[in-house]
Amino acid sequence: MKLLKLTGFIFFLFFLTESLTLPTQPRDIENFNSTQKFIEDNIEYITIIAFAQYVQEATFEEMEKLVKDMVEYKDRCMADKTLPECSKLPNNVLQEKICAMEGLPQKHNFSHCCSKVDAQRRLCFFYNKKSDVGFLPPFPTLDPEEKCQAYESNRESLLNHFLYEVARRNPFVFAPTLLTVAVHFEEVAKSCCEEQNKVNCLQTRAIPVTQYLKAFSSYQKHVCGALLKFGTKVVHFIYIAILSQKFPKIEFKELISLVEDVSSNYDGCCEGDVVQCIRDTSKVMNHICSKQDSISSKIKECCEKKIPERGQCIINSNKDDRPKDLSLREGKFTDSENVCQERDADPDTFFAKFTFEYSRRHPDLSIPELLRIVQIYKDLLRNCCNTENPPGCYRYAEDKFNETTEKSLKMVQQECKHFQNLGKDGLKYHYLIRLTKIAPQLSTEELVSLGEKMVTAFTTCYMCQSQNEELQRKTDRFLVNLVKLKHELTDEELQSLFTNFANVVDKCCKAESPEVCFNEESPKIGN
């Protein structure tokens, strides 16, 4: 995936950052060099991602000006690296260049960020990102024949426009993920443009790429939200659970070392520092690949791939097999006489070990369920350790864990039954109505987003074909707003409204002009 190749640019980035710790081990140096080469080969993509995510309203032409400005800056520093302006971190340079673009901060309302410096400015740019992208125009679409002609005549321009449009609509997605999406997009375009039925090929092949992007967008946004709201401790526990399930034979000490690498990776990625994000992600994957024997037997082929495919392959790889000598339960957290003393000696390490041991033994449980069990155990010990006979109290902890797991299982079975009865779209409308009744204070976009995530949990095949996405979002927003206006309706009346709405959507999706049909039929739904 080579785009505009700015020779030497990344060397300039690295000698600017003297505060960084440079690698000394041969394997680390090799990884450092391969990461450096990757960034060099894809610097235009990287600049597009950073600018489009920081200033989502900016035009493509404004983005091109920034790329040009960064090239000129690189040339100056390559000619004389002793210049004062050449001693800054890449992300600081980028944000300064954005702020220096004439009239841009005022035009797009981020001048308040430009009055800050360093960490405060980086956070300001982050908080300025908008997850609700309703202010942007519909995603531009081309006729398949036009798209293929554009790809064949000016491949770089088409790919740059694609990444610009995707990045500004997904401001919290990490750069490696967006670069992977760009790779897949080009693969789809190249393959389908050789097919006779281009329309069907593009529509079919684009679905998994869209699903991949939406899944990672949601996940990364929520982890970053947890990091900002609760700090690194919560992120640590999330990743202890994730990595313990994925790599059940890993030793606890090695797990903590890996978790620390992952957590530090989120600092740069969540702030939108694309160069640091790529560098740190590569470091994490190198850590994993350098210790395959003690971590996982399922990642050998992934580790042979290049950036960014290597990282995404590891993330999507299957969970490793549970060690044969790993018992079904770890008795030291429920049977030991000294549980309270061990907890009191070092609570963070104690509960980290519990999360590790429970997660690696229960690969079938979801991460939220595992974190609920950790909290149940914390609450149980808080009570038990204040009784006259703590061991007699916490000895039944497993019963508490099983109880919450059974409740969750029944809930999932109930929702799966809804899915079987209502179908994919029907289930989504069911959730939109329920969520709007439960939390009408949330914005329409938040409710629509929650509804989509609920459905995604029960089906891997969703959201609508790309050319109908805007209509799909419009119908979802309409239903949410309708329920908000008619919040006093009984369950029977809501069921009638739901049926009418589903019939209109079904009718209009078959019409020659779905949007015109929906505009005509929607006023009749609530009557």
Side-chain angles (χ1 to χ4, degrees), residues 465-506:
Q465 295 171 350
S466 58
Q467 68 269 29
N468 287 330
E469 263 195 25
E470 289 303 317
L471 174 61
Q472 185 71 53
R473 298 285 290 184
K474 182 176 180 178
T475 59
D476 294 349
R477 287 193 292 267
F478 172 82
L479 180 60
V480 167
N481 288 329
L482 186 61
V483 176
K484 280 186 173 183
L485 288 172
K486 297 179 176 290
H487 58 87
E488 76 286 351
L489 293 182
T490 64
D491 288 343
E492 291 76 16
E493 290 170 326
L494 282 172
Q495 183 60 42
S496 175
L497 181 147
F498 162 76
T499 303
N500 292 340
F501 180 79
N503 290 338
V504 167
V505 172
D506 183 60

Side-chain angles (χ1 to χ4, degrees), residues 350-361:
F350 177 82
F351 287 114
K353 285 182 178 178
F354 173 78
T355 307
F356 163 67
E357 296 291 0
Y358 201 88
S359 300
R360 66 202 289 246
R361 286 170 166 79

Side-chain angles (χ1 to χ4, degrees), residues 364-419:
D364 52 322
L365 295 183
S366 69
I367 301 304
E369 181 69 9
L370 288 170
L371 296 179
R372 272 195 293 272
I373 287 172
V374 173
Q375 189 59 50
I376 287 170
Y377 186 56
K378 285 183 178 181
D379 294 341
L380 181 69
L381 291 188
R382 188 180 297 114
N383 293 328
C384 291
C385 292
N386 288 322
T387 64
E388 292 184 359
N389 181 19
C393 177
Y394 58 66
R395 186 169 293 128
Y396 302 100
E398 287 286 347
D399 294 339
K400 295 281 187 182
F401 304 155
N402 293 335
E403 184 180 320
T404 187
T405 302
E406 287 172 8
K407 284 182 180 178
S408 297
L409 179 60
K410 287 180 181 178
M411 187 180 299
V412 170
Q413 290 172 338
Q414 183 180 14
E415 298 308 318
C416 284
K417 188 175 181 181
H418 278 134
F419 175 61

Side-chain angles (χ1 to χ4, degrees), residues 1 30-42 46 175-177 179-180 183 277-283 285-286 302-313:
M1 185 180 64
E30 180 183 354
N31 177 65
F32 182 89
N33 290 337
S34 64
T35 304
Q36 175 175 304
K37 179 67 164 56
F38 172 78
I39 298 175
E40 175 191 348
D41 288 347
N42 295 279
I46 291 168
T177 302
L179 291 168
T180 301
V183 170
C277 182
I278 293 170
R279 187 188 292 127
D280 288 344
T281 300
S282 181
K283 179 183 175 183
M285 298 311 163
N286 184 58
C302 294
C303 291
E304 293 171 354
K305 295 180 181 292
K306 296 181 179 179
I307 305 171
E309 288 90 346
R310 180 181 65 165
Q312 300 305 315
C313 180

Side-chain angles (χ1 to χ4, degrees), residues 158-408:
L158 179 68
L159 293 175
N160 288 351
H161 273 88
F162 169 79
L163 189 60
Y164 157 75
E165 295 291 356
V166 171
R168 68 201 292 233
R169 288 170 171 79
N170 296 275
F172 299 100
V173 176
F174 299 167
T177 302
L178 289 174
L179 291 168
T180 301
V181 169
V183 170
H184 292 326
F185 173 76
E186 180 170 17
E187 289 172 352
V188 169
K190 186 176 181 180
S191 174
C192 290
C193 287
E194 296 174 354
E195 296 287 330
Q196 185 173 357
N197 190 344
K198 296 178 177 61
V199 176
N200 183 62
C201 180
L202 287 169
Q203 290 177 354
T204 303
R205 295 279 304 277
I207 290 174
V209 179
T210 302
Q211 290 176 336
Y212 171 87
L213 175 61
K214 289 182 176 179
F216 274 88
S217 174
S218 175
Y219 174 74
Q220 290 166 356
K221 182 172 70 174
H222 282 90
V223 173
C224 288
L227 175 64
L228 288 171
K229 188 172 182 180
F230 303 111
T232 56
K233 186 180 289 188
V234 169
V235 175
H236 272 186
F237 274 93
I238 290 173
Y239 272 94
I240 288 172
I242 291 173
L243 296 174
S244 300
Q245 279 193 329
K246 194 171 187 66
F247 307 131
K249 71 177 184 181
I250 193 172
E251 295 292 333
F252 179 73
K253 184 178 179 180
E254 184 63 49
L255 171 75
I256 294 303
S257 174
L258 182 57
V259 166
E260 288 173 352
D261 276 355
V262 171
S263 295
S264 65
N265 175 44
Y266 271 87
D267 290 337
C269 290
C270 289
E271 283 188 4
D273 186 337
V274 293
V275 172
Q276 190 64 40
C277 182
I278 293 170
R279 187 188 292 127
D280 288 344
T281 300
S282 181
K283 179 183 175 183
V284 170
M285 298 311 163
N286 184 58
H287 182 154
I288 293 171
C289 290
S290 67
K291 299 183 178 181
Q292 295 180 55
D293 292 342
S294 61
I295 292 181
S296 175
S297 61
K298 300 287 180 79
I299 57 175
K300 183 178 180 181
E301 291 185 3
C302 294
C303 291
E304 293 171 354
K305 295 180 181 292
K306 296 181 179 179
I307 305 171
E309 288 90 346
R310 180 181 65 165
Q312 300 305 315
C313 180
I314 291 172
I315 290 170
N316 295 320
S317 64
N318 292 327
K319 295 173 182 175
D320 207 359
D321 300 323
R322 195 177 76 175
K324 293 181 180 179
D325 60 349
L326 189 66
S327 61
L328 291 177
R329 61 185 294 270
E330 177 51 84
K332 67 181 181 182
F333 293 104
T334 54
D335 301 341
S336 170
E337 297 288 319
N338 303 316
V339 168
C340 295
Q341 293 90 325
E342 291 176 19
R343 181 204 64 170
D344 294 341
D346 188 349
D348 287 346
T349 300
F350 177 82
F351 287 114
K353 285 182 178 178
F354 173 78
T355 307
F356 163 67
E357 296 291 0
Y358 201 88
S359 300
R360 66 202 289 246
R361 286 170 166 79
H362 296 86
D364 52 322
L365 295 183
S366 69
I367 301 304
E369 181 69 9
L370 288 170
L371 296 179
R372 272 195 293 272
I373 287 172
V374 173
Q375 189 59 50
I376 287 170
Y377 186 56
K378 285 183 178 181
D379 294 341
L380 181 69
L381 291 188
R382 188 180 297 114
N383 293 328
C384 291
C385 292
N386 288 322
T387 64
E388 292 184 359
N389 181 19
C393 177
Y394 58 66
R395 186 169 293 128
Y396 302 100
E398 287 286 347
D399 294 339
K400 295 281 187 182
F401 304 155
N402 293 335
E403 184 180 320
T404 187
T405 302
E406 287 172 8
K407 284 182 180 178
S408 297

